[in-house]
Amino acid sequence: MNMNLEVEVVNKESTTLVLLAGEIDAYTAPELKATLLPLTKNEGKIVEVNLDKVSYMDSTGLGVFISALKSTKENNSEMRLVNLRERVMRLFQITGLDSIITIDSTVRGGN
Amino acid sequence: MCGLMDELLESAPCGFLTLSKEGIIQSINRTLLKMLQYNKEQLVGKHIDAILSKSARVFFQLYFTPLIMKKQVVEEMYLSLADKNGEDIPILLNAALDNNKEDPIIVCIMVPMRRRDAYENQLRIAKKVAEDAKSELELVLQSLEDKQEQLLVVNKQTQNELQLAKKIQETSLTKAITTDSIQMETYYKASSELSGDIYGFYQMNKDQYGIILLDVMGHGISSSLITMSLHSLFQRLISRGISASLLMKELDNHLHELFQNSEDVWHYCTAIYLVIDTNKKTIEYVNAGHPPAIFQDLNGEQQALKTTTPPLGTFEGIQFTPNKIYCKNGGRLLLYTDGVSEPLEPISLFSILKECSADSLSETKATIIRSLQGEDKQVQHDDQCFILIDLK
């Protein structure tokens, strides 16, 4: 049984906050991609993704953030990930993407 | 008393008439006259045919007259009267032959049936509608059963195709190499029929072995298609003895070309490629976003062959510079995909490998599988693959 992913977008002046809750996998990643990618196409915009309530992410989820990062480079925008749980952070570290994607160094505990 | 009864009979809520044996109307009450829109003078002395519909006249002669004469009673005979304007009036007729009089008479009670007919008609229409709906439902059900049958057939065909594809994918996996200087054990288990993991081992020359393990994003059919595409490429390139950096560059280019302008189907893959030189006692490797391979020497000292570049197919222009480690006295290598390491957390594969230092390669493999099966009580989320190599 796959959990759902809740995606909430809050627009502020120069930053768009994306609040995620649930699991990011092959079933939920398309929805996240459909929301996140258009946000990264706005030049000069900072997209801050809060993963505090993301309990699980697989390689498909990682793919969404790689696509979003590529989009920021093409559109001169910025993306940063904040409040990652240890398990999710490990995925970025193993793949070496933690040195390419801007990730808030404060890692939340728990799996 | 008799006068009161006569008056009550005149206005009774049913038709009343008396007939001679020949069918001549002798008396008729007001209720029936009103129903037929005649007055008494117009009907008394006339034959019953005057108030019967055409079809009822025949019926009356053929059935009513013989029956009343034989049994002296007729019950609930359904007939149609005809009023002055020729309009049909359905009735139920009860009649009795009174033989006690000098001239026997037939006493008739007639109850109009218009409403009952209307109800019956409605019932018949409703029944017809229900029957039509039932027939339609049966057709829909039949069609649904046919579709389900077709679906089962298609599903069976798809399952057969997937099983065949699984066999093809597993056949493409190279056999473990065992020589005087190197020994291998492998484990490969897809989360569904097809896997996004793939590996290959190739003896490039007398002393060098090329070993690759790839994990394409996601799992299932789409990922397996990409693994097979990458497989044919790395098989060709490694057999030619290509360098680690060039191999990874070629695989990276292949993915970029494959998904050029196809963001919707874009996939990346993590990969680790090792060139083991049993003469120089070196391991040259490139790790593109893959979980770190573990090298453990004979003293139990471990080294992680960590990622050196982002995964393949992610960013353009990546330089795949190889790293090198030395294995002078031999040792043991463990390569794996995250489908193996993730379910085992927080127990790390590093500690399992250390605990199995004195065990044979096959015993170590069995220990890792046991650990995975212990953690994998629920659904297997990801493809699982690991390779154990002993260097002598």
Side-chain angles (χ1 to χ4, degrees):
Chain A
M1 184 73 184
N2 291 283
M3 271 186 68
N4 288 328
L5 177 70
E6 286 173 26
V7 184
E8 188 186 343
V9 177
V10 181
N11 279 307
K12 294 198 169 180
E13 271 184 21
S14 61
T15 308
T16 301
L17 303 178
V18 181
L19 309 168
L20 305 179
E23 296 187 350
I24 310 174
D25 56 19
Y27 297 96
T28 58
E31 183 198 346
L32 174 61
K33 193 173 180 178
T35 306
L36 189 59
L37 249 64
L39 300 175
T40 59
K41 295 192 191 301
N42 300 321
E43 193 176 336
K45 198 87 174 176
I46 298 168
V47 181
E48 185 178 293
V49 187
N50 190 329
L51 290 102
D52 182 29
K53 291 178 180 168
V54 173
S55 55
Y56 172 82
M57 186 168 86
D58 69 3
S59 57
T60 323
L62 207 59
V64 174
F65 291 112
I66 295 171
S67 292
L69 179 66
K70 284 158 77 176
S71 174
T72 60
K73 291 186 189 305
E74 285 163 14
N75 296 287
N76 202 22
S77 60
E78 206 179 305
M79 177 182 72
R80 60 176 176 237
L81 312 183
V82 300
N83 293 332
L84 280 71
R85 293 192 186 188
E86 199 176 330
R87 188 177 180 181
V88 176
M89 184 64 188
R90 197 167 55 235
L91 197 59
F92 285 96
Q93 287 168 334
I94 285 171
T95 50
L97 290 168
D98 59 329
S99 61
I100 298 168
I101 299 174
T102 309
I103 300 176
D104 185 336
S105 56
T106 314
V107 174
R108 314 274 301 179
N111 284 315
Chain B
M1 185 68 186
C2 192
L4 177 62
M5 185 60 86
D6 285 347
E7 183 51 33
L8 287 173
L9 207 55
E10 283 288 349
S11 57
C14 62
F16 174 83
L17 64 74
T18 55
L19 299 171
S20 68
K21 278 169 69 180
E22 291 74 29
I24 304 300
I25 298 170
Q26 294 184 333
S27 66
I28 182 165
N29 75 343
R30 272 204 304 276
T31 307
L32 189 54
L33 286 168
K34 192 176 175 187
M35 208 189 301
L36 296 166
Q37 301 177 49
Y38 285 109
N39 59 46
K40 199 172 276 188
E41 290 71 28
Q42 288 173 309
L43 293 179
V44 173
K46 296 277 174 60
H47 192 270
I48 182 81
D49 282 356
I51 60 168
L52 291 175
S53 69
K54 283 179 184 170
S55 58
R57 286 175 201 163
V58 179
F59 188 81
F60 196 85
Q61 288 303 321
L62 286 175
Y63 294 99
F64 178 84
T65 308
L67 199 63
I68 197 78
M69 289 306 160
K70 188 177 177 187
K71 298 204 169 183
Q72 286 87 51
V73 69
V74 168
E75 287 183 339
E76 296 182 23
M77 181 171 276
Y78 186 78
L79 286 173
S80 277
L81 302 180
D83 69 9
K84 193 175 177 180
N85 301 316
E87 199 76 28
D88 277 11
I89 305 168
I91 53 128
L92 265 189
L93 169 65
N94 276 7
L97 178 66
D98 186 353
N99 273 325
N100 295 327
K101 294 193 171 56
E102 190 180 335
D103 291 323
I105 59 164
I106 300 166
V107 180
C108 302
I109 298 290
M110 296 172 176
V111 180
M113 299 288 291
R114 275 200 190 105
R115 287 194 179 175
R116 181 174 157 163
D117 273 7
Y119 292 147
E120 280 183 351
N121 282 338
Q122 282 178 8
L123 277 174
R124 268 195 292 276
I125 290 166
K127 191 181 171 198
K128 178 82 169 58
V129 169
E131 281 172 355
D132 289 351
K134 191 184 167 202
S135 302
E136 205 170 318
L137 194 66
E138 280 171 354
L139 282 174
V140 171
L141 276 174
Q142 186 59 49
S143 164
L144 200 65
E145 280 174 14
D146 292 347
K147 296 273 182 217
Q148 199 174 16
E149 195 71 28
Q150 287 170 13
L151 206 61
L152 285 171
V153 172
V154 170
N155 196 32
K156 178 80 180 154
Q157 285 170 345
T158 308
Q159 280 300 319
N160 290 343
E161 286 291 322
L162 282 172
Q163 284 302 317
L164 186 61
K166 178 185 167 80
K167 279 182 189 166
I168 291 170
Q169 190 178 38
E170 287 173 357
T171 307
S172 73
L173 297 170
T174 47
K175 297 274 185 300
I177 299 169
T178 302
T179 65
D180 291 343
S181 51
I182 200 164
Q183 189 190 345
M184 294 178 183
E185 285 283 352
T186 61
Y187 177 75
Y188 186 83
K189 190 181 176 199
S191 57
S192 52
E193 276 79 2
L194 296 168
S195 175
D197 295 350
I198 196 137
Y199 61 76
F201 319 115
Y202 304 91
Q203 185 163 10
M204 297 152 76
N205 53 48
K206 183 174 152 288
D207 301 319
Q208 285 188 312
Y209 299 88
I211 294 158
I212 189 164
L213 175 59
L214 293 106
D215 180 359
V216 174
M217 177 187 113
H219 41 81
I221 298 171
S222 54
S223 303
S224 71
L225 283 172
I226 299 160
T227 63
M228 297 311 285
S229 160
L230 290 166
H231 171 266
S232 65
L233 182 62
F234 72 62
Q235 184 182 35
R236 197 158 21 101
L237 294 173
I238 299 174
S239 302
R240 269 193 232 155
I242 194 172
S243 72
S245 55
L246 200 52
L247 173 76
M248 290 304 223
K249 188 73 195 161
E250 287 294 326
L251 294 174
D252 186 48
N253 288 343
H254 181 68
L255 284 177
H256 282 297
E257 280 168 22
L258 203 59
F259 302 119
Q260 205 172 24
N261 304 320
S262 305
E263 179 60 37
D264 289 347
V265 293
W266 170 79
H267 278 63
Y268 69 90
C269 98
T270 67
I272 183 163
Y273 178 56
L274 279 65
V275 177
I276 299 171
D277 192 318
T278 54
N279 182 39
K280 291 180 183 167
K281 303 288 183 188
T282 57
I283 301 169
E284 195 179 75
Y285 72 92
V286 177
N287 184 340
H290 200 79
I294 307 165
F295 175 71
Q296 182 174 279
D297 67 19
L298 294 178
N299 299 319
E301 292 293 319
Q302 294 182 332
Q303 285 185 65
L305 280 57
K306 287 183 181 172
T307 183
T308 48
T309 69
L312 304 177
T314 52
F315 305 101
E316 302 270 5
I318 297 171
Q319 293 302 313
F320 296 93
T321 311
N323 284 6
K324 189 184 281 184
I325 62 167
Y326 292 89
C327 47
K328 284 186 178 170
N329 300 314
R332 180 169 288 177
L333 270 163
L334 173 61
L335 286 73
Y336 55 92
T337 57
D338 60 352
V340 174
S341 55
E342 278 299 308
L344 294 179
E345 287 292 336
I347 306 164
S348 83
L349 285 162
F350 286 83
S351 51
I352 294 177
L353 202 61
K354 185 151 268 183
E355 283 165 18
C356 295
S357 295
D359 296 344
S360 70
L361 216 51
S362 57
E363 286 167 341
T364 307
K365 176 184 171 181
T367 302
I368 297 173
I369 293 171
R370 266 199 308 278
S371 303
L372 280 173
Q373 285 165 346
E375 298 300 326
D376 234 13
K377 290 187 182 78
Q378 292 180 339
V379 182
Q380 183 188 329
H381 283 291
D382 202 357
D383 305 320
Q384 294 175 337
C385 178
F386 68 82
I387 302 162
L388 278 162
I389 304 166
D390 265 357
L391 302 174
K392 295 165 189 171

mmCIF file of all heavy atoms in Angstrom, chain B residues 297-312:
data_model
loop_
_atom_site.group_PDB
_atom_site.id
_atom_site.type_symbol
_atom_site.label_atom_id
_atom_site.label_comp_id
_atom_site.label_asym_id
_atom_site.label_seq_id
_atom_site.Cartn_x
_atom_site.Cartn_y
_atom_site.Cartn_z
ATOM 1 N N ASP B 297 40.441 -5.926 3.204
ATOM 2 C CA ASP B 297 41.675 -6.713 3.002
ATOM 3 C C ASP B 297 41.717 -7.903 3.961
ATOM 4 O O ASP B 297 40.801 -8.087 4.774
ATOM 5 C CB ASP B 297 42.925 -5.818 3.098
ATOM 6 C CG ASP B 297 43.144 -5.269 4.496
ATOM 7 O OD1 ASP B 297 42.579 -5.847 5.459
ATOM 8 O OD2 ASP B 297 43.863 -4.257 4.629
ATOM 9 N N LEU B 298 42.783 -8.665 3.875
ATOM 10 C CA LEU B 298 42.853 -9.901 4.672
ATOM 11 C C LEU B 298 42.904 -9.638 6.179
ATOM 12 O O LEU B 298 42.593 -10.510 6.990
ATOM 13 C CB LEU B 298 44.056 -10.740 4.239
ATOM 14 C CG LEU B 298 43.965 -11.288 2.807
ATOM 15 C CD1 LEU B 298 45.221 -12.072 2.442
ATOM 16 C CD2 LEU B 298 42.736 -12.174 2.636
ATOM 17 N N ASN B 299 43.290 -8.396 6.545
ATOM 18 C CA ASN B 299 43.320 -8.033 7.970
ATOM 19 C C ASN B 299 41.981 -7.490 8.456
ATOM 20 O O ASN B 299 41.843 -7.077 9.602
ATOM 21 C CB ASN B 299 44.402 -6.975 8.220
ATOM 22 C CG ASN B 299 45.777 -7.503 7.842
ATOM 23 O OD1 ASN B 299 46.089 -8.669 8.121
ATOM 24 N ND2 ASN B 299 46.572 -6.674 7.191
ATOM 25 N N GLY B 300 41.042 -7.447 7.554
ATOM 26 C CA GLY B 300 39.717 -6.940 7.931
ATOM 27 C C GLY B 300 39.573 -5.437 7.790
ATOM 28 O O GLY B 300 38.537 -4.861 8.136
ATOM 29 N N GLU B 301 40.630 -4.781 7.288
ATOM 30 C CA GLU B 301 40.549 -3.331 7.077
ATOM 31 C C GLU B 301 39.638 -3.050 5.879
ATOM 32 O O GLU B 301 39.757 -3.705 4.841
ATOM 33 C CB GLU B 301 41.948 -2.747 6.790
ATOM 34 C CG GLU B 301 42.905 -2.773 7.963
ATOM 35 C CD GLU B 301 42.465 -1.842 9.094
ATOM 36 O OE1 GLU B 301 42.001 -0.721 8.796
ATOM 37 O OE2 GLU B 301 42.539 -2.262 10.272
ATOM 38 N N GLN B 302 38.758 -2.083 6.052
ATOM 39 C CA GLN B 302 37.772 -1.825 4.988
ATOM 40 C C GLN B 302 37.967 -0.447 4.345
ATOM 41 O O GLN B 302 38.350 0.510 5.008
ATOM 42 C CB GLN B 302 36.354 -1.902 5.555
ATOM 43 C CG GLN B 302 35.977 -3.310 6.020
ATOM 44 C CD GLN B 302 34.556 -3.381 6.544
ATOM 45 O OE1 GLN B 302 34.025 -2.402 7.046
ATOM 46 N NE2 GLN B 302 33.951 -4.551 6.439
ATOM 47 N N GLN B 303 37.679 -0.396 3.067
ATOM 48 C CA GLN B 303 37.687 0.881 2.339
ATOM 49 C C GLN B 303 36.377 1.003 1.578
ATOM 50 O O GLN B 303 35.916 0.013 0.987
ATOM 51 C CB GLN B 303 38.821 0.915 1.311
ATOM 52 C CG GLN B 303 40.195 1.109 1.884
ATOM 53 C CD GLN B 303 41.214 1.249 0.753
ATOM 54 O OE1 GLN B 303 41.180 2.205 -0.013
ATOM 55 N NE2 GLN B 303 42.106 0.282 0.663
ATOM 56 N N ALA B 304 35.797 2.193 1.582
ATOM 57 C CA ALA B 304 34.559 2.422 0.817
ATOM 58 C C ALA B 304 34.931 3.033 -0.524
ATOM 59 O O ALA B 304 35.654 4.027 -0.587
ATOM 60 C CB ALA B 304 33.644 3.354 1.590
ATOM 61 N N LEU B 305 34.454 2.411 -1.572
ATOM 62 C CA LEU B 305 34.701 2.952 -2.917
ATOM 63 C C LEU B 305 33.546 3.918 -3.238
ATOM 64 O O LEU B 305 32.598 3.586 -3.945
ATOM 65 C CB LEU B 305 34.785 1.814 -3.949
ATOM 66 C CG LEU B 305 36.115 1.045 -4.030
ATOM 67 C CD1 LEU B 305 36.514 0.439 -2.697
ATOM 68 C CD2 LEU B 305 36.036 -0.054 -5.082
ATOM 69 N N LYS B 306 33.665 5.100 -2.612
ATOM 70 C CA LYS B 306 32.560 6.055 -2.632
ATOM 71 C C LYS B 306 32.330 6.689 -4.003
ATOM 72 O O LYS B 306 33.196 6.644 -4.865
ATOM 73 C CB LYS B 306 32.810 7.161 -1.607
ATOM 74 C CG LYS B 306 32.628 6.696 -0.180
ATOM 75 C CD LYS B 306 32.819 7.862 0.771
ATOM 76 C CE LYS B 306 32.654 7.398 2.211
ATOM 77 N NZ LYS B 306 33.012 8.457 3.165
ATOM 78 N N THR B 307 31.178 7.339 -4.094
ATOM 79 C CA THR B 307 30.827 7.994 -5.355
ATOM 80 C C THR B 307 31.830 9.087 -5.699
ATOM 81 O O THR B 307 32.293 9.813 -4.810
ATOM 82 C CB THR B 307 29.389 8.549 -5.302
ATOM 83 O OG1 THR B 307 29.066 9.108 -6.552
ATOM 84 C CG2 THR B 307 29.212 9.591 -4.232
ATOM 85 N N THR B 308 32.165 9.147 -6.972
ATOM 86 C CA THR B 308 33.130 10.159 -7.421
ATOM 87 C C THR B 308 32.480 11.173 -8.354
ATOM 88 O O THR B 308 33.002 12.250 -8.554
ATOM 89 C CB THR B 308 34.296 9.468 -8.162
ATOM 90 O OG1 THR B 308 33.744 8.549 -9.114
ATOM 91 C CG2 THR B 308 35.176 8.710 -7.198
ATOM 92 N N THR B 309 31.312 10.787 -8.906
ATOM 93 C CA THR B 309 30.612 11.707 -9.824
ATOM 94 C C THR B 309 29.097 11.554 -9.632
ATOM 95 O O THR B 309 28.649 10.579 -9.038
ATOM 96 C CB THR B 309 30.909 11.369 -11.308
ATOM 97 O OG1 THR B 309 30.275 10.115 -11.613
ATOM 98 C CG2 THR B 309 32.388 11.281 -11.597
ATOM 99 N N PRO B 310 28.313 12.493 -10.164
ATOM 100 C CA PRO B 310 26.857 12.312 -10.114
ATOM 101 C C PRO B 310 26.435 11.102 -10.958
ATOM 102 O O PRO B 310 27.218 10.604 -11.764
ATOM 103 C CB PRO B 310 26.311 13.602 -10.746
ATOM 104 C CG PRO B 310 27.426 14.574 -10.698
ATOM 105 C CD PRO B 310 28.681 13.776 -10.776
ATOM 106 N N PRO B 311 25.205 10.631 -10.789
ATOM 107 C CA PRO B 311 24.741 9.488 -11.585
ATOM 108 C C PRO B 311 24.811 9.750 -13.089
ATOM 109 O O PRO B 311 24.841 10.909 -13.530
ATOM 110 C CB PRO B 311 23.289 9.318 -11.138
ATOM 111 C CG PRO B 311 23.227 9.938 -9.792
ATOM 112 C CD PRO B 311 24.191 11.073 -9.819
ATOM 113 N N LEU B 312 24.808 8.682 -13.863
ATOM 114 C CA LEU B 312 24.866 8.786 -15.330
ATOM 115 C C LEU B 312 23.537 9.325 -15.870
ATOM 116 O O LEU B 312 22.467 8.970 -15.368
ATOM 117 C CB LEU B 312 25.129 7.411 -15.949
ATOM 118 C CG LEU B 312 26.384 6.678 -15.465
ATOM 119 C CD1 LEU B 312 26.462 5.300 -16.127
ATOM 120 C CD2 LEU B 312 27.629 7.481 -15.765
#
